[in-house]
Amino acid sequence: MELRQAFATHLPWALSQVEPQGLENPRWLLWSQDAAEMLSLVGPDANALAVFSANARMAGASYHAQVYAGHQFGGYSPRLGDGRAMILGEARDIDGQYWDIALKGAGKTPYSRHGDGRAVLRSAVREFLVSEALFHLGVPSTRALAVVGSETQVWRESLETAAITVRLARSHIRFGHFEYVTHGERDPERLRQLVDFTINQHFPHLSCDTAGYAAWFAEVVQRTAVMIAHWQAAGFAHGVMNTDNMSILGDSFDFGPFSFLDTYRENFICNHSDPEGRYAFDRQPGIALWNLQRLAQALSPLISSDALIAGLDGYQHALVQHYLILMRQKIGLPAGQAAEDLQIVSGLMSLFEKNALDYTNSMRMFAQWRPGESHFALRDECLDSAAFDAWFQAYEKRLGRVADAELWRRQRQAANPRYILRNYLAQEAIDAAQQGDNQPLNTLYQLLRNPFDEQPDMAQYARRPPRWGEGLICSCSS
Ligand code: AMP
Ligand code: MG
């Protein structure tokens, strides 16, 4: 694999060279054949294992950690950076798109603070699975190429084994990079370099001048709104929406205690370390805007406040419009009046909430019904049939006549996944992998590559969590 070093060449002040620290007795846990094919890599061989376990350096790689800042749970941390990730450079895929290759968990960097620079098996596996699961669901996301397990021991709440996730990101530039340059370096020239680099590499249709900067910020706002619309429609809670975990490209990024909703609960909190629910499911849209406002402040030496405010003003509209596009696909409505459709969607969500229904499985019922059929399975799940009937009547009226009911049903099947990465499924697979059995992990990963298809032998993976797995939430410890 040949690597380009655009970031390291153009922004040398934004990184530190680091030395990878290899894992002991490495073994493959996961390998994404989709990502490998995209990068024209041959299968997981011994050479790749040596490189991705950080025991051998990749030819042409510049091992570096990036420096950035960030608002974490509302408070500003002036100096964060890649504490346990190192970036090797940018690999070109078959379409000409470049991807940063990063090893997450390859040892200490100047930004590790008190950490050991390692990732434990469970967090490495979760990051791989969620990146690939989101990608196959059509949600903008970073990707993962592999997870390497090992016998290297690390201490968290107890002794665990360390692993490395090989992460692929079109860029690792975060909102926090801009905050670091403006509030820390206080160097407008470096801010300009960072913005110009971002535009040249990732927004090549824009120019690096006053008008281009304004258009660029507006586009960052739009892309962020689209990502959040996807999260809300997929029932995905990220869990740690700090500004250092927000990608400038609007890709879902840096996963920790994330969770897909099982039972629909609007104010679901997936992060054990977030008792106040700052990052609760229904707060994600507001938090993303708050984060964009922090980004706007960081850009204020370069972009006029009028342009920044105009960009931010586009957020709400973009979010609602894109959310409606996705929800109309899920419930099968043609384009129409936003206000009426939002009411239909929120009526459905309140049926889910009141009846403690499973979000994914309930949505999938739209793929099991054909317009015109009088019986809709969701009715049997609702305690209050009258409430369901009132909702259904409004929905059917809005739906109108559907010319091809079978085509309509197939379209619902392509918009409502049968399988999602439920926390309890991930946990079972992780438990087995910790005991040395990779089979459940790989079965789960293969399943998530085709989340919309009925997979006959896999029905048990669509089940709601067993009692022990209900509301299984994770801590930030990773
Ligand atoms: P995260 O919650 O993964 O986004 O991490 C927040 C910050 O803590 C980032 O700067 C990480 O690089 C750093 N960090 C998290 N875990 C570790 C670790 N085990 N060793 C060193 N740094 C870490
Ligand atoms: Mg992070």
Side-chain angles (χ1 to χ4, degrees):
M1 184 167 17
E2 274 194 32
L3 295 181
R4 188 187 70 167
Q5 298 294 345
F7 187 97
T9 308
H10 287 92
L11 306 168
W13 48 266
L15 54 84
S16 304
Q17 296 298 324
V18 292
E19 201 49 57
Q21 291 161 275
L23 295 176
E24 292 162 39
N25 291 326
R27 62 186 172 111
W28 294 112
L29 289 179
L30 285 160
W31 176 262
S32 162
Q33 58 265 57
D34 308 294
E37 273 167 33
M38 179 175 89
L39 295 174
S40 312
L41 290 178
V42 286
D45 57 18
N47 181 37
L49 186 62
V51 166
F52 294 141
S53 62
N55 283 300
R57 290 179 78 106
M58 186 188 284
S62 142
Y63 286 73
H64 59 261
Q66 298 181 352
V67 62
Y68 47 85
H71 278 83
Q72 300 182 303
F73 291 91
Y76 186 62
S77 301
R79 192 179 160 87
L80 293 166
D82 296 325
R84 55 179 176 139
M86 36 195 83
I87 299 172
L88 278 56
E90 301 122 28
R92 192 165 189 230
D93 75 11
I94 46 180
D95 297 323
Q97 162 81 51
Y98 282 91
W99 295 84
D100 287 358
I101 309 241
L103 304 184
K104 198 164 172 181
K108 282 191 189 165
T109 78
Y111 315 106
S112 299
R113 287 167 293 167
H114 304 297
D116 55 10
R118 292 295 186 197
V120 293
L121 182 152
R122 66 187 148 83
S123 83
V125 161
R126 280 169 54 85
E127 170 131 15
F128 177 104
L129 290 176
V130 75
S131 313
E132 292 303 277
L134 287 172
F135 168 75
H136 289 291
L137 286 172
V139 178
S141 177
T142 58
R143 303 284 309 269
L145 175 62
V147 178
V148 179
S150 76
E151 288 174 11
T152 300
Q153 297 211 307
V154 290
W155 182 257
R156 293 295 181 266
E157 278 94 14
S158 59
L159 262 191
E160 298 193 44
T161 56
I164 288 177
T165 307
V166 184
R167 174 162 71 190
L168 306 176
R170 294 183 295 155
S171 167
H172 277 79
I173 300 176
R174 309 145 190 264
F175 290 10
H177 275 84
F178 302 89
E179 296 181 282
Y180 173 78
V181 177
T182 296
H183 309 313
E185 302 263 300
R186 295 171 192 264
D187 182 343
E189 187 41 41
R190 286 191 171 177
L191 178 64
R192 183 186 299 277
Q193 283 175 22
L194 178 60
V195 171
D196 287 0
F197 177 82
T198 306
I199 291 176
N200 288 330
Q201 297 297 324
H202 305 292
F203 299 79
H205 51 288
L206 298 177
S207 54
C208 295
D209 53 23
T210 305
Y213 293 151
W216 167 68
F217 179 69
E219 194 171 327
V220 172
V221 171
Q222 298 284 317
R223 287 199 195 189
T224 304
V226 167
M227 175 186 78
I228 297 293
H230 273 283
W231 289 2
Q232 303 310 113
F236 178 74
H238 179 283
V240 198
M241 289 177 67
N242 295 333
T243 55
D244 52 302
N245 292 337
M246 298 288 291
S247 128
I248 200 68
L249 301 183
D251 285 339
S252 312
F253 191 33
D254 240 13
F255 304 98
F258 69 84
S259 178
F260 283 87
L261 298 179
D262 293 302
T263 300
Y264 183 81
R265 262 194 299 128
E266 206 172 70
N267 56 9
F268 172 67
I269 303 167
C270 67
N271 184 350
H272 192 65
S273 314
D274 182 21
E276 294 184 359
R278 178 181 172 85
Y279 299 138
F281 177 68
D282 60 349
R283 292 207 179 146
Q284 297 188 131
I287 284 292
L289 176 58
W290 190 90
N291 288 342
L292 285 162
Q293 288 164 337
R294 303 291 76 74
L295 175 64
Q297 280 170 331
L299 295 172
S300 61
L302 192 63
I303 305 180
S304 75
S305 46
D306 284 350
L308 292 168
I309 290 167
L312 290 169
D313 278 347
Y315 177 77
Q316 173 82 4
H317 183 74
L319 173 69
V320 170
Q321 288 310 312
H322 207 80
Y323 179 68
L324 275 175
I325 288 172
L326 296 169
M327 295 309 280
R328 285 189 188 116
Q329 283 166 2
K330 288 172 99 65
I331 66 176
L333 297 180
Q337 290 290 323
E340 185 187 354
D341 291 355
L342 278 177
Q343 223 172 0
I344 286 176
V345 169
S346 73
L348 184 64
M349 295 307 114
S350 77
L351 285 176
F352 289 0
E353 176 110 30
K354 282 199 183 112
N355 294 283
L357 299 183
D358 184 84
Y359 180 68
T360 301
N361 291 349
S362 302
M363 280 307 214
R364 182 76 176 183
M365 288 177 182
F366 285 87
Q368 287 146 1
W369 176 75
R370 280 174 193 75
E373 282 176 3
S374 57
H375 180 250
F376 196 120
L378 198 55
R379 189 176 196 272
D380 304 335
E381 306 289 322
C382 295
L383 222 49
D384 182 352
S385 318
F388 175 82
D389 291 342
W391 177 83
F392 191 61
Q393 203 183 5
Y395 167 71
E396 273 205 304
K397 181 156 171 268
R398 167 71 179 87
L399 182 59
R401 230 189 74 73
V402 172
D404 186 339
E406 181 50 32
L407 173 66
W408 185 94
R409 194 195 61 77
R410 282 203 304 275
Q411 288 167 338
R412 305 299 68 76
Q413 188 169 329
N416 295 297
R418 173 99 165 107
Y419 306 103
I420 51 158
L421 179 60
R422 295 179 188 270
N423 263 351
Y424 86 92
L425 294 174
Q427 194 56 51
E428 285 176 340
I430 287 166
D431 290 343
Q434 280 168 337
Q435 302 302 315
D437 178 8
N438 287 350
Q439 196 54 50
L441 194 54
N442 280 283
T443 305
L444 178 59
Y445 162 53
Q446 294 305 332
L447 177 82
L448 296 170
R449 294 177 64 219
N450 296 295
F452 299 101
D453 296 350
E454 286 292 338
Q455 302 183 41
D457 303 337
M458 296 294 180
Q460 75 274 21
Y461 284 90
R463 284 200 201 124
R464 298 181 77 162
R467 190 169 289 247
W468 67 264
E470 259 301 339
L472 192 66
I473 60 173
C474 297
S475 73
C476 268
S477 157
S478 45

